Amino acid sequence: MIWNIAWKNIWRNKMRSFLVVMAIAFGLLGGIFSSAVLKGSSDQRVREAVSRETSHIQIHNPEFIEDNDVRYYIDDNLSKLESVLDTMKSVAAWSPRVKFMAMAGSANAGTGVVVIGINPEMERHVTEIHSLICDSCGSWFMSSKSVPVVAGSALVKKLGLHLHSKIVLTFQDVQGNLTGGAFRICGIYQTSNSVFDEMNIFVDRKDIIPLLNADTGICHEIAIRLEYPDKVKNVQHLLKGLFPSVLIQNWKEIDPLIGMMNDLMDLWLYLFMGIIMLALGFVIVNTMLMAIMERTKEIGMLAAIGMNKQRIFFLIMLESVFMSLTGGIIGIIIGVVVIWYMNRTGINLGSLSEGFEKLGYSPMLYPSLDLVFFINLTLMVIVTGILASIYPAKRALKLRPAEAIRND
Amino acid sequence: MNIISIEELRKSYHDSEVAVHALNGINLIIEKGEFTAIVGSSGSGKTTLLNMIGGLDSPDSGCIRIGDVDITSMKSHKLIDFRLRNIGFVFQSFNLIPVLTAFENVEFIMNLQGVKKEERRKRSTELLDAVGLGKRLHSRPSKLSGGQQQRVAVARALASHPRFILADEPTANLDSVSARNLLEIMDKLNQDEQITYIFSTHDQRVVNKAHRVIVLEDGMVVRDE
């Protein structure tokens, strides 16, 4: 019956309660939408980084990570490693890579790049660079021209090149001798990370290994895409147990900045929502104080006829929770609809796109939030309602029934 | 059978460094089934006395026993529960819960007592029938006249099976017809069911109905007849 009274009490002053409920709803909506944009952007960045740059897991010779020297390839157990990866069900695809630093040059300019020698067919199952080549930008190593490369659009632009242009790569072979070769640009890819595009150039392993004066099986890096991304730590742990001499890193370890940003984003979202809830909490406290002042006589009567302090406290707490929860649910429902719609259409940042791409972010934002966020948000709304009721309830409990029932 | 016994009850209020002696050594015994009116001029101490008997205020000295229980030495939380189970209240300005219907207002006090739903419903209906509101069970207080609201308040006060009912100026806000109806109902319940009433009042009609009239002056009983 107390629940019934609490709910009805909220609507005694319909306009005031409506305004408070709307303030909560739209306050939350603002928070939910901002959080969805931030989270969507962060998740998108992680998704893109994993699918284009880092993959889920990478394996290296530990010394290769220290100074990226071409001589530090995976030499122990490589064939065994490859056969294990072939048999693991949780591994969706893997790609062996040759990787080294080089100078890329054109007739006009030169710049430092990372050359990634790949098996084009295996690589297309691990990363999605092949899908980022537009129709007029060539193809993923489907060229009749000799020694093709796929270069990023930012690199092509920087060197003043275009599709089918010749590009010269100069680097050291495994013996430390300076070597190099001329290649043809058969495809130009463009990710949302212009720094990545400017730095990375893909060549076919079979074309580059002879120039490195290395064995045909040389491999500096194995990139692995998993069937279930949430199993990354399990797979990493398993591989570490089987191959202790190589360095096995997950995407968060490969690119700690993205991993940290992603972890921090969750913390930031809750902090952000917490600040909004704090502000809404003050609105609720104020409203509940007004409601209690108006109902001094009634509360005095309840105490006089035998309603104990715990029940009066509970009644006021329920009113506060009902009010915040009503606003919260409305805000969440509107928020879900808005996010669902925006997630389908995306938000185009237009003129800001260049800046975003330099930071590695896509200029198209797709807001998104997971179910856990909404569950936690609902809990935060309830906790805010409870906390916001404490001061008004304490004020109500201080009322002396004999005086309160005479209050006009 | 004594329901209430009061011994040497004293209470002072301190207002701007001047002590006001609201109750100045009250001694009273109220027996079961009495219809008692406490009268006196404004400031004579009748409201203070009613508050003390109802456990809403505590005395400076003296003792109030309800049955065998000394309520002046009771702790606050126990006193609230004691009020719930032993004392019925009827207030001057009705003080019903405006968001509940007449039926729910009567039911509410039994809900606080933990009475089962079926029993609550049966007794609420019976009581509202007894006060002549059997057809207004589902009306909210705002849809009832002052007299009807006060009758709901009487039904509510009776709902908890109290030992006695304290009524603080119950007719003060009623027109003469409503006041007469209310008093007739209360009188009937007193005669039929031996309900004990203690009124604080200025209303001569209440005084005329009362079996016992206690006159207070300056916090003392000056007449008891």
Side-chain angles (χ1 to χ4, degrees):
Chain A
M1 210 163 183
I2 290 177
W3 295 67
N4 181 24
I5 297 173
W7 175 251
K8 287 177 176 171
N9 273 342
I10 296 174
W11 304 107
R12 283 164 75 161
N13 190 329
K14 289 190 176 64
M15 180 51 78
R16 184 174 65 201
S17 296
F18 175 77
L19 291 174
V20 173
V21 164
M22 285 301 115
I24 295 168
F26 283 93
L28 280 188
L29 176 61
I32 289 170
F33 183 71
S34 308
S35 299
V37 169
L38 290 171
K39 182 70 178 161
S41 162
S42 169
D43 286 351
Q44 202 172 324
R45 175 73 191 107
V46 169
R47 219 167 27 248
E48 287 177 358
V50 169
S51 64
R52 296 169 188 178
E53 300 164 27
T54 63
S55 61
H56 291 121
I57 291 175
Q58 287 185 2
I59 302 174
H60 299 98
N61 179 326
E63 287 171 292
F64 181 79
I65 293 298
E66 297 294 322
D67 61 7
N68 283 312
D69 193 306
V70 73
R71 291 171 297 172
Y72 299 131
Y73 46 84
I74 303 168
D75 49 1
D76 293 339
N77 297 318
L78 179 61
S79 54
K80 190 181 169 193
L81 186 54
E82 289 174 344
S83 60
V84 166
L85 292 176
D86 276 335
T87 55
M88 283 179 81
K89 283 185 180 172
S90 45
V91 173
W94 60 276
S95 173
R97 293 169 173 172
V98 175
K99 198 170 183 182
F100 54 90
M101 304 291 290
M103 280 299 294
S106 68
N108 307 319
T111 186
V113 293
V114 175
V115 177
I116 305 171
I118 44 97
N119 175 327
E121 192 46 37
M122 290 179 85
E123 185 70 21
R124 66 185 299 141
H125 296 295
V126 174
T127 62
E128 58 178 33
I129 298 293
H130 64 278
S131 65
L132 300 170
I133 300 169
C134 70
D135 291 343
S136 59
C137 304
S139 66
W140 181 249
F141 296 98
M142 290 175 66
S143 171
S144 56
K145 305 238 189 277
S146 60
V147 282
V149 295
V150 172
S153 60
L155 178 65
V156 171
K157 190 175 170 189
K158 187 174 182 181
L159 297 179
L161 300 172
H162 49 79
L163 188 62
H164 306 308
S165 291
K166 189 187 279 184
I167 183 169
V168 176
L169 297 176
T170 312
F171 47 91
Q172 282 186 321
D173 65 15
V174 291
Q175 279 84 42
N177 302 316
L178 201 62
T179 182
F183 298 79
R184 288 278 174 189
I185 298 174
C186 71
I188 300 170
Y189 69 88
Q190 184 172 11
T191 68
S192 56
N193 183 351
S194 58
V195 176
F196 179 86
D197 297 353
E198 195 177 304
M199 278 299 293
N200 294 279
I201 185 164
F202 292 85
V203 299
D204 194 326
R205 269 165 61 93
K206 68 176 176 6
D207 293 332
I208 204 75
I209 287 174
L211 295 173
L212 283 172
N213 281 323
D215 294 339
T216 51
I218 186 174
C219 174
H220 294 112
E221 177 176 291
I222 296 176
I224 300 169
R225 183 171 68 80
L226 298 181
E227 200 72 62
Y228 306 106
D230 53 334
K231 297 268 188 259
V232 68
K233 288 208 167 162
N234 298 354
V235 177
Q236 183 188 15
H237 183 72
L238 184 67
L239 288 172
K240 272 184 174 176
L242 291 172
F243 303 100
S245 62
V246 289
L247 183 69
I248 300 168
Q249 295 173 294
N250 63 45
W251 64 269
K252 280 189 180 178
E253 292 161 342
I254 297 162
D255 196 339
L257 188 63
I258 292 180
M260 190 185 70
M261 289 280 283
N262 195 48
D263 291 344
L264 276 178
M265 187 58 72
D266 286 339
L267 186 67
W268 161 248
L269 294 187
Y270 286 112
L271 192 65
F272 182 58
M273 291 311 299
I275 292 168
I276 290 176
M277 296 310 303
L278 182 69
L280 295 175
F282 284 116
V283 175
I284 300 167
V285 170
N286 184 45
T287 308
M288 291 306 298
L289 278 175
M290 278 196 284
I292 281 161
M293 277 177 68
E294 287 167 5
R295 282 162 41 206
T296 300
K297 201 170 184 173
E298 190 180 311
I299 291 166
M301 176 274 293
L302 291 172
I305 65 172
M307 192 167 177
N308 63 29
K309 290 185 174 186
Q310 289 91 329
R311 281 178 165 148
I312 292 175
F313 190 97
F314 186 60
L315 174 69
I316 292 163
M317 191 195 77
L318 274 183
E319 287 178 33
S320 174
V321 169
F322 281 159
M323 197 184 302
S324 50
L325 206 51
T326 306
I329 289 170
I330 293 171
I332 287 172
I333 290 172
I334 300 173
V336 167
V337 172
V338 170
I339 292 168
W340 174 80
Y341 179 75
M342 291 292 190
N343 188 270
R344 284 166 64 102
T345 59
I347 302 169
N348 192 346
L349 294 171
S351 59
L352 299 171
S353 61
E354 198 174 327
F356 267 78
E357 283 175 0
K358 282 213 164 98
L359 292 170
Y361 287 85
S362 167
M364 278 299 284
L365 293 182
Y366 296 92
S368 72
L369 283 171
D370 53 22
L371 181 65
V372 174
F373 180 85
F374 286 109
I375 292 170
N376 287 337
L377 186 60
T378 307
L379 292 176
M380 284 170 82
V381 168
I382 293 170
V383 169
T384 304
I386 292 171
L387 293 177
S389 70
I390 291 175
Y391 179 62
K394 282 181 90 171
R395 287 280 296 263
L397 294 181
K398 279 184 183 167
L399 295 173
R400 291 162 57 87
E403 291 165 14
I405 52 180
R406 281 184 173 72
N407 183 291
D408 284 314
Chain B
M1 185 177 133
N2 293 353
I3 285 192
I4 304 166
S5 49
I6 299 171
E7 292 168 24
E8 281 302 309
L9 199 66
R10 291 176 193 277
K11 178 76 177 178
S12 302
Y13 295 107
H14 297 272
D15 186 19
S16 310
E17 298 175 8
V18 180
V20 178
H21 301 289
L23 296 178
N24 215 350
I26 301 272
N27 291 289
L28 276 178
I29 287 177
I30 310 276
E31 295 197 349
K32 182 171 171 60
E34 277 189 9
F35 194 115
T36 306
I38 299 172
V39 297
S41 55
S42 208
S44 59
K46 43 185 200 307
T47 296
T48 307
L49 178 58
L50 228 62
N51 285 344
M52 299 284 167
I53 297 172
L56 300 177
D57 205 350
S58 54
D60 296 337
S61 65
C63 167
I64 301 170
R65 287 182 182 283
I66 294 175
D68 296 330
V69 180
D70 177 4
I71 65 165
T72 48
S73 60
M74 238 179 205
K75 290 199 169 162
S76 163
H77 66 278
K78 286 199 170 171
L79 196 52
I80 293 171
D81 193 58
F82 187 83
R83 283 202 299 265
L84 176 65
R85 296 178 193 285
N86 294 279
I87 307 172
F89 289 90
V90 178
F91 304 101
Q92 181 179 334
S93 49
F94 326 136
N95 283 354
L96 298 175
I97 301 171
V99 295
L100 298 184
T101 62
F103 181 86
E104 289 168 334
N105 263 286
V106 178
E107 194 191 6
F108 178 63
I109 198 153
M110 289 183 276
N111 181 266
L112 292 179
Q113 286 182 314
V115 177
K116 285 186 178 167
K117 194 172 183 179
E118 298 225 333
E119 196 184 328
R120 287 196 323 247
R121 297 199 157 195
K122 185 167 172 276
R123 184 157 172 78
S124 302
T125 311
E126 283 171 0
L127 286 168
L128 285 165
D129 267 337
V131 297
L133 291 171
K135 291 183 178 169
R136 302 302 300 272
L137 298 182
H138 303 297
S139 300
R140 285 201 182 183
S142 58
K143 302 289 179 193
L144 299 173
S145 68
Q148 288 171 326
Q149 287 188 54
Q150 199 60 303
R151 279 189 270 158
V152 176
V154 170
R156 178 180 67 185
L158 288 165
S160 60
H161 293 290
R163 292 187 190 209
F164 60 91
I165 289 179
L166 292 174
D168 187 11
E169 310 252 13
T171 55
N173 289 347
L174 301 183
D175 59 61
S176 58
V177 176
S178 300
R180 196 169 57 240
N181 284 342
L182 181 76
L183 287 171
E184 277 171 10
I185 288 165
M186 293 176 96
D187 190 31
K188 188 171 182 303
L189 287 166
N190 171 252
Q191 286 175 16
D192 294 351
E193 297 182 29
Q194 284 282 292
I195 304 291
T196 309
Y197 291 105
I198 303 162
F199 288 81
S200 143
T201 188
H202 284 108
D203 190 336
Q204 192 56 43
R205 289 165 302 195
V206 179
V207 176
N208 293 341
K209 281 270 181 200
H211 309 156
R212 182 181 176 189
V213 178
I214 296 166
V215 183
L216 291 188
E217 204 175 288
D218 297 330
M220 290 186 288
V221 176
V222 293
R223 207 168 72 224
D224 185 353
E225 55 191 27

